[in-house]
Amino acid sequence: MRKLILAGFAVAVMLAPAAAVADDPIVIKFSHVVANDTPKGKGSLKFKELAEKYTNGKVKVEVYPNSSLYKDKEEIEALQLGSVQMLAPSTAKFAPLGVKEFEALDLPWLFKDDETYAAAMKGEVGKWLFKKLEAKGITGLAYWDNGFHMMSASRPIVKPSDLEGLKIRISGSKIADQYFRILGSIPQIMAFSEVYQALQTGVVDGCENTPSNYLTQKFYEVQKDITVSYHAHLQYAVIVNAKFWSGLPPDIRAQLEKAMNEATDYTNSIARKENEDALAEIKKSGKTTLHYPTEAERKAWQTAMQPTYKWAKGRVGQEVLDVVAKELHVEMN
């Protein structure tokens, strides 16, 4: 009888929503792959601070940075299984789920500046894309900005042909894969946590990333040349396990939404400054050579990468390209 009672209690606990267990705080495990001193890292800590404050300790947020809990390829599956409740992956990571439409955001030279990007993600583009995640058991909460990509390599890359034959690390986006292939390089998908060693040992010759990530991950120390191209944008989607999120008491969920909205405003407000400061720090170090493209050089890069747009139609579909084109007033073909 005692065994039956214990078994019944265990089942009841398993079936009960997290909030129903008396006095125990609701635990949100928030996993990400970058350092604490990046815009995303600081944003996750800000969310933790505000979430715990607004819920009066009824929610406890555990932040796991630097792939300490899950690596790139593992984290979304862990979220779907409920092993972790919240993530902030780059939007390129959704293609393996079958939501390739997010890769439209990786098109080169798509966003002319930070303001254009912000307006699009708060508008129809951002909302339309989040709806695509619902069928996968994922709820989208916010988009976090991390600025524009630079290119780096073991040799100067001033013109498109300079990339020919180089192995370039990418995060997984087929759009990025395509524009680097068009330029004659060899894209290599690799977990973010493995990039420094790969650059250091020559497993790959170069990569693309934002200034804040180049600095905090010390990529600049093992790359001889960086081109401040700002050719593509890096953004993260803050996502949560849909079953967990919908199972929260409405008042708790409202407090967490408030915390997320404020953390998002904070993160996006510091992203540009963080990247500017990081670039200045990299320049000051003298460990790598920075090249700033002229207007003519920038035009040459844009022209060389333009075929990516035509190719993208078969990858992400015409529908999302139409949504993006309408919002940004750009030509897709």
Side-chain angles (χ1 to χ4, degrees):
M1 178 61 73
R2 184 170 179 271
K3 288 182 179 179
L4 285 173
I5 292 171
L6 288 174
F9 176 74
V11 170
V13 169
M14 288 173 64
L15 292 178
V21 182
D23 299 325
D24 283 348
I26 299 166
V27 175
I28 296 178
K29 292 182 179 179
F30 190 158
S31 173
H32 65 79
V33 302
V34 300
N36 276 330
D37 54 349
T38 58
K40 177 161 68 173
K42 291 181 179 181
S44 62
L45 293 173
K46 176 61 72 173
F47 172 71
K48 169 183 170 65
E49 172 196 329
L50 295 174
E52 293 177 354
K53 174 185 174 183
Y54 292 153
T55 63
N56 293 316
K58 292 177 182 176
V59 169
K60 180 184 178 184
V61 180
E62 298 175 355
V63 177
Y64 297 89
N66 276 324
S67 307
S68 57
L69 196 59
Y70 295 105
K71 292 185 178 180
D72 289 17
K73 292 181 179 179
E74 307 164 344
E75 60 178 13
I76 292 181
E77 183 180 2
L79 181 86
Q80 290 178 300
L81 292 172
S83 301
V84 62
Q85 287 72 44
M86 193 172 287
L87 304 173
S90 65
T91 53
K93 301 287 170 48
F94 295 124
L97 275 180
V99 191
K100 299 175 182 177
E101 291 90 344
F102 275 89
E103 288 188 353
L105 302 176
D106 301 327
L107 284 164
W109 314 102
L110 180 64
F111 303 107
K112 66 179 182 179
D113 52 35
D114 292 286
E115 290 75 21
T116 304
Y117 158 78
M121 302 321 290
K122 286 182 179 179
E124 287 306 308
V125 172
K127 294 173 186 174
W128 189 92
L129 287 169
F130 270 160
K131 285 180 182 177
K132 292 290 179 181
L133 293 177
E134 292 174 2
K136 307 297 180 181
I138 295 171
T139 297
L141 299 180
Y143 292 98
W144 285 2
D145 186 3
N146 197 16
F148 289 89
H149 281 306
M150 306 189 296
M151 285 185 251
S152 67
S154 51
R155 68 187 189 203
I157 40 175
V158 178
K159 56 187 184 299
S161 59
D162 292 334
L163 276 171
E164 194 164 340
L166 295 183
K167 298 187 293 273
I168 304 294
R169 182 267 175 180
I170 62 171
S171 64
S173 169
K174 289 296 183 182
I175 297 289
D177 179 276
Q178 183 65 14
Y179 62 66
F180 277 119
R181 286 188 189 279
I182 287 170
L183 300 176
S185 56
I186 306 158
Q188 306 281 313
I189 297 173
M190 183 179 294
F192 188 71
S193 58
E194 299 168 7
V195 178
Y196 179 88
Q197 186 176 7
L199 293 169
Q200 184 181 44
T201 58
V203 170
V204 293
D205 302 303
C207 66
E208 63 172 359
N209 224 295
T210 60
S212 63
N213 281 341
Y214 270 100
L215 179 68
T216 57
Q217 299 296 321
K218 303 186 187 303
F219 296 161
Y220 72 99
E221 294 183 354
V222 288
Q223 291 281 264
K224 291 180 180 179
D225 293 270
I226 295 176
T227 296
V228 188
S229 52
Y230 292 163
H231 60 282
H233 197 274
L234 176 59
Q235 59 282 320
Y236 306 117
V238 186
I239 56 176
V240 66
N241 178 289
K243 188 175 180 181
F244 168 82
W245 191 248
S246 63
L248 291 171
D251 60 323
I252 294 289
R253 191 165 57 246
Q255 291 156 351
L256 292 177
E257 285 172 349
K258 180 183 177 184
M260 180 56 67
N261 289 338
E262 291 183 19
T264 297
D265 288 342
Y266 165 78
T267 305
N268 293 345
S269 70
I270 67 170
R272 188 186 304 185
K273 179 84 165 55
E274 292 276 319
N275 282 315
E276 288 173 355
D277 290 349
L279 194 57
E281 192 68 25
I282 291 168
K283 188 174 184 178
K284 183 181 175 183
S285 75
K287 293 183 177 181
T288 187
T289 300
L290 292 173
H291 177 73
Y292 292 82
T294 64
E295 191 57 40
E297 288 168 347
R298 186 180 298 275
K299 188 68 177 174
W301 285 106
Q302 290 173 334
T303 301
M305 292 180 172
Q306 185 61 31
T308 309
Y309 281 71
K310 186 175 181 179
W311 178 90
K313 180 179 177 180
R315 171 67 182 176
V316 302
Q318 188 65 49
E319 189 178 3
V320 67
L321 294 180
D322 288 343
V323 172
V324 172
K326 182 180 179 182
E327 185 86 7
L328 298 178
H329 309 290
V330 295
E331 292 291 333
M332 282 294 166
N333 295 310

